């Protein structure tokens, strides 16, 4: 089984990313279940604005689209900015909108029988709002979002240190991240054994 972590940080590689650090907690637990995990920083790619799977010359979204179709588990990871998902996360979701009209060989939306979860970091509150926005969009596209398939870290309102700068709260965030991985894996295995059919016409 394969998993893809799309890190929607605003920081280009190889700059350290708080969001990557917390997402990696989930990834390590998935690896312990035998899952092959791949990380991508969306900001490193030229992802053009649009709502199709290929926006023409120079667009690197088709590469990401192929990765999405090659994986059973998707983790969307985003920092919180002004209480909202990052602009990069919004761009990724807008491009995933095309998957609403894409079907597999038996007529199912291509996101069916795939699971998704959300990782959020930030030094201000708003994590539950970000989780809700991203999880809701992924559910619209057709992903199954298991219960408690999320984790987050923040230190409350206002400016403050980042996840990599402060150990406070890591135990809870990491424990929640490991539970998230277990829930994603369990539901992915269940859907693998008992897949959803095409929606009634």
């Amino acid at each position: 089984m394969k998993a893809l972590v799309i890190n929607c940080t605003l920081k280009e590689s190889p700059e350290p990313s708080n969001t990557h650090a917390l997402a990696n907690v989930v990834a390590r637990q998935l690896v312990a279940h035998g899952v092959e995990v791949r990380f991508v920083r969306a900001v490193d790619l030229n992802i053009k604005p649009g709502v199709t799977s290929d926006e023409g010359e120079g667009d690197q979204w088709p590469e990401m689209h192929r990765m999405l179709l090659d994986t059973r588990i998707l983790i969307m990871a985003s920092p919180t900015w002004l209480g909202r998902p990052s602009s990069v996360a919004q761009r990724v979701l807008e491009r995933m909108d095309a998957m609403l009209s894409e079907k597999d060989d038996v007529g199912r939306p291509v996101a069916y029988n795939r699971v998704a979860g959300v990782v959020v970091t930030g030094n201000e509150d708003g994590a539950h709002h970000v989780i809700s926005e991203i999880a809701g969009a992924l559910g619209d596209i057709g992903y199954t979002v298991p219960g408690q398939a999320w984790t987050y870290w923040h230190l409350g309102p206002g400016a403050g240190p980042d996840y990599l700068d402060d150990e406070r709260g890591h135990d809870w965030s990491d424990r929640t991240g490991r539970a998230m991985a277990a829930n994603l894996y369990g539901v992915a295995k269940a859907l693998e054994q008992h897949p959803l059919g095409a929606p009634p016409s």
Side-chain angles (χ1 to χ4, degrees), residues 42-194:
V43 75
D44 290 341
L45 301 176
N46 179 25
I47 299 175
K48 292 188 173 184
V51 290
T52 73
S53 289
D54 190 342
E55 290 290 334
E57 184 177 357
D59 184 24
Q60 292 183 283
W61 179 257
E63 176 185 344
M64 184 81 81
H65 184 258
R66 286 190 292 271
M67 284 188 273
L68 286 167
L69 297 184
D70 190 43
T71 57
R72 288 289 168 187
I73 299 172
L74 170 64
I75 296 167
M76 282 279 291
S78 175
T80 303
W81 290 111
L82 300 174
R84 304 182 62 81
S86 74
S87 58
V88 176
Q90 183 63 32
R91 173 69 55 89
V92 168
L93 291 171
E94 286 169 351
R95 295 303 301 271
M96 290 177 73
D97 182 81
M99 295 170 70
L100 283 165
S101 58
E102 296 172 1
K103 303 291 191 292
D104 66 12
D105 54 5
V106 296
R108 291 174 297 205
V110 292
Y112 268 36
N113 299 308
R114 304 176 195 276
V115 300
V118 185
V119 171
V120 176
T121 57
N123 57 32
E124 58 176 300
D125 206 347
H128 278 100
H129 174 76
V130 174
I131 290 164
S132 296
E133 284 209 354
I134 295 175
L138 294 171
D140 283 349
I141 293 165
Y143 282 89
T144 296
V145 181
Q148 298 185 346
W150 49 262
T151 189
Y152 68 88
W153 180 92
H154 72 78
L155 278 185
D162 293 323
Y163 179 83
L164 289 171
D165 301 329
D166 196 311
E167 290 296 321
R168 287 178 293 171
H170 281 215
D171 287 347
W172 181 88
S173 296
D174 293 358
R175 185 172 64 254
T176 307
R178 290 190 293 271
M180 168 186 173
N183 294 343
L184 286 168
Y185 178 75
V187 174
K189 288 295 288 184
L191 287 171
E192 186 176 64
Q193 294 165 10
H194 303 283

